[in-house]
Amino acid sequence: MAFGSFNPSRQQSMMSDINVTPMVDVMLVLLVIFIITAPMFTHAVKLDLPRAQAAAAQQQPDTVTIAIDAAGVLHWGEQQVDAAGLDARLLQAARQAPQPELQLRADKNTRYEVVAQVMAAAQSRGLSKLGFVTDPKKEKQHGQR
């Protein structure tokens, strides 16, 4: 039985027309919805805000370098310190108004235990800004061997 004709002797062929009417109807409905809702998204309250002329003066925090060599000897900046001296300096640094950033430099042969002890001492004194410093140029040279 052929669709679209009542003549049984007619050759049956595929229906190749696509009905786009439902798609056009949906698109027109979406267009109307977007036209109605678009002004709601652009609604804003107009305010006359004051202008500030002076920029906020920000005080840059100091940086303190703590170096640990392969033998586990601690250095505060350029001075060698022991564990008690490190604790005293960490307490003093924690009392500063903008706390300094601690930059930890450790030799690649330093035991992890020593690094962890320095980190724990800094945290127990209330210092929260801690960064690890590496030298990528030397690492590249070692990797090229």
Side-chain angles (χ1 to χ4, degrees), residues 60-65 76 89-103 122 126-131:
Q60 294 292 340
D62 296 332
T63 58
V64 175
T65 303
W76 183 277
R89 290 183 185 213
L90 288 174
L91 276 172
Q92 181 183 8
R95 290 186 192 125
Q96 293 179 2
Q99 287 188 349
E101 178 183 341
L102 298 180
Q103 294 182 348
L127 294 166
S128 59
K129 297 177 184 176
L130 177 69

Side-chain angles (χ1 to χ4, degrees), residues 11 27 30 33 41 52 58 64 138 144:
Q11 185 179 7
M27 297 305 282
L30 288 174
I33 290 172
F41 294 128
Q58 293 184 357
V64 175
K138 288 184 181 179
Q144 292 177 354

Side-chain angles (χ1 to χ4, degrees), residues 23-95:
M23 183 180 70
V24 171
D25 289 343
V26 169
M27 297 305 282
L28 287 174
V29 169
L30 288 174
L31 178 65
V32 170
I33 290 172
F34 288 136
I35 288 173
I36 292 172
T37 59
M40 293 180 201
F41 294 128
T42 60
H43 181 69
V45 177
K46 293 189 179 195
L47 297 175
D48 188 19
L49 297 174
R51 304 222 184 266
Q53 298 298 329
Q58 293 184 357
Q59 192 176 22
Q60 294 292 340
D62 296 332
T63 58
V64 175
T65 303
I66 300 174
I68 308 169
D69 63 7
V73 178
L74 300 169
H75 297 271
W76 183 277
E78 298 293 324
Q79 299 175 350
Q80 182 176 344
V81 294
D82 58 353
L86 179 67
D87 282 341
R89 290 183 185 213
L90 288 174
L91 276 172
Q92 181 183 8
R95 290 186 192 125

Side-chain angles (χ1 to χ4, degrees), residues 95-128:
R95 290 186 192 125
Q96 293 179 2
Q99 287 188 349
E101 178 183 341
L102 298 180
Q103 294 182 348
L104 187 60
R105 294 175 167 265
D107 189 85
K108 69 177 185 176
N109 295 324
T110 303
R111 293 182 44 142
Y112 177 73
E113 178 183 10
V114 177
V115 176
Q117 287 173 352
V118 171
M119 290 172 51
Q123 183 182 16
S124 68
R125 300 301 178 255
L127 294 166
S128 59

